[in-house]
Amino acid sequence: MDFYVFLKYLAVMSLVTYLIRLIPMLLIKKQIKNKFIKSFLYYIPFSVLTVMTVPAVFYSTSSVISAVAAFAVAVALTFCGKKLVTVAVFSCIAVFAVETLMQFLA
Amino acid sequence: MKIKNAEFSSGLSAGLPICLGYLSVAFVFGIFAVESGLTPPEAILVSMFNLTSAGQFAAVPIIASLGPLTELILSQAVINMRYALMSVSLSQKFDSKINIFDRLLFAFCNTDEIFAVATSKKGTAGRSFMLGLIVLPYVGWTLGTVAGATAGNILPDQVISALGCAIYAMFIAIVLPEAKKSAPVRICVLISAILSCIFYFLPFLKGLSDGMRIIIVSVAVSIICAVIAPLKNDDKTEVCEVDK
């Protein structure tokens, strides 16, 4: 493909994505006072994160079994009050361990 | 422009798990883009200028086949519309010193994960914290694409598989502590999870893109929660603590 043609596509794509993110951030700078909107915006991150995590987390590794292990480790460590990095790293290790074990058993 | 070191490094460490997750997702994207017909430099440029995983995965086949620009625009608009919502929310989280140039930069880096970490931070998010937060994820996203596009088959499958869960583990670590403390957040999380599964598995509904599913479910659930459990004015978890 001609590189200049590619650049045209790239420019269009990047511009659309950027404007979607930028316009609201430039237009709505003042602190919102409305109680309903404030409450709505308070719940949005929790809801968005949950929707992105469930059920996708169970398909995020090469086997549902190792993904369940990652999920369990993440939940357990979070309940023990561990930091984000710790939780993420140990979940990855859990996946690696379970998949290595599965290869031995298979 | 002053940078507070403590804030910057707290941003950096919050960005590290995001970076790990991005490395793996971008790695997969790099492989996918080259297999779809982009050259490695093109794949890397797409990542460096967009920073949106679902959007990029949808765009590559359109670009590679020189599809209609309207389709490219529509797909990006639908998949990335949730960022408009997140930009409004993130905008409320910024402290008063954040200026227009900061906004130009932070808007570009407003991904699901960066948004999630920034908005779940205690208090407000300042320039130093935000700068620290975006550095590693951006580097991870770019380097992951470089690696995937140029050397896709070097890493063992097991390592890629293990990295795949990093982002979700992080999401769990963000959501659960708040859900533990607050009953309304628990309800919000529970309904979101149930609806998300319904949309994911049910015939007809499962044809929706991930972006649409995220918008529909999160807007519906957040409206319900805002109606049945609005924040009290003296609530410490309020989004806007800055105006008091």
Side-chain angles (χ1 to χ4, degrees):
Chain A
M1 164 181 20
D2 183 8
F3 190 64
Y4 289 101
V5 177
F6 165 78
L7 284 185
K8 189 177 75 181
Y9 278 87
L10 178 68
V12 168
M13 179 194 179
S14 309
L15 197 68
V16 173
T17 307
Y18 186 45
L19 288 181
I20 289 173
R21 286 166 162 161
L22 181 65
I23 293 171
M25 206 177 268
L26 289 182
L27 291 186
I28 307 174
K29 277 193 247 177
K30 286 205 183 121
Q31 294 298 323
I32 295 172
K33 303 274 186 212
N34 180 295
K35 204 182 192 181
F36 173 77
I37 297 176
K38 275 165 86 168
S39 306
F40 174 79
L41 292 176
Y42 168 73
Y43 288 113
I44 273 287
F46 300 114
S47 183
V48 167
L49 288 179
T50 306
V51 176
M52 285 197 296
T53 306
V54 182
V57 58
F58 300 108
Y59 306 106
S60 66
T61 66
S62 51
S63 131
V64 177
I65 300 172
S66 62
V68 169
F71 180 78
V73 167
V75 171
L77 289 181
T78 305
F79 267 96
C80 297
K82 297 286 182 250
K83 277 192 189 171
L84 291 188
V85 194
T86 319
V87 173
V89 169
F90 277 94
S91 298
C92 291
I93 294 174
V95 171
F96 193 81
V98 167
E99 288 182 6
T100 310
L101 195 69
M102 281 165 66
Q103 273 189 343
F104 271 114
L105 298 178
Chain B
M1 174 160 103
K2 260 193 187 161
I3 294 185
K4 296 179 202 127
N5 279 332
E7 283 286 291
F8 184 78
S9 33
S10 116
L12 274 186
S13 85
L16 181 64
I18 305 180
C19 172
L20 291 180
Y22 280 9
L23 272 174
S24 64
V25 180
F27 189 81
V28 177
F29 172 76
I31 298 172
F32 173 77
V34 170
E35 276 178 359
S36 306
L38 296 196
T39 63
E42 287 170 350
I44 296 160
L45 284 174
V46 170
S47 279
M48 292 183 75
F49 281 94
N50 288 281
L51 209 64
T52 160
S53 63
Q56 289 181 204
F57 276 100
V60 158
I62 302 174
I63 299 176
S65 64
L66 297 180
L69 281 176
T70 47
E71 195 186 332
L72 183 66
I73 294 171
L74 264 181
S75 72
Q76 296 308 297
V78 171
I79 294 171
N80 293 329
M81 196 48 80
R82 66 184 187 281
Y83 292 132
L85 211 61
M86 294 182 193
S87 280
V88 176
S89 186
L90 184 57
S91 187
Q92 298 291 303
K93 189 74 182 178
F94 288 156
D95 73 17
S96 50
K97 288 184 190 125
I98 297 257
N99 62 32
I100 187 158
F101 299 107
D102 298 328
R103 283 171 192 270
L104 290 176
L105 175 64
F106 299 151
F108 177 77
C109 297
N110 187 12
T111 65
D112 302 300
E113 296 76 16
I114 289 171
F115 159 80
V117 171
T119 50
S120 61
K121 178 183 183 290
K122 285 207 179 72
T124 57
R127 174 191 298 139
S128 306
F129 176 81
M130 287 302 297
L131 280 176
L133 179 62
I134 62 181
V135 172
L136 293 179
Y138 187 77
V139 171
W141 189 245
T142 305
L143 289 186
T145 311
V146 172
T150 55
N153 24 30
I154 286 180
L155 267 190
D157 288 348
Q158 261 173 313
V159 174
I160 300 175
S161 171
L163 288 173
C165 77
I167 281 179
Y168 301 108
M170 197 183 72
F171 289 165
I172 292 167
I174 291 172
V175 168
L176 278 190
E178 199 61 31
K180 212 165 129 187
K181 274 187 282 178
S182 144
V185 172
R186 267 201 298 281
I187 295 168
C188 169
V189 167
L190 198 67
I191 308 177
S192 301
I194 293 170
L195 281 183
S196 180
C197 288
I198 291 176
F199 273 71
Y200 194 90
F201 292 111
L202 231 58
F204 303 115
L205 289 178
K206 71 180 177 189
L208 284 174
S209 70
D210 285 347
M212 283 308 286
R213 180 166 53 95
I214 291 169
I215 293 179
I216 294 171
V217 175
S218 67
V219 167
V221 172
S222 299
I223 288 177
I224 294 170
C225 289
V227 169
I228 60 173
L231 291 173
K232 295 187 192 80
N233 279 331
D234 55 349
D235 197 327
K236 282 204 178 82
T237 53
E238 248 179 16
V239 193
C240 333
E241 292 183 325
V242 92
D243 56 350
K244 283 202 277 308

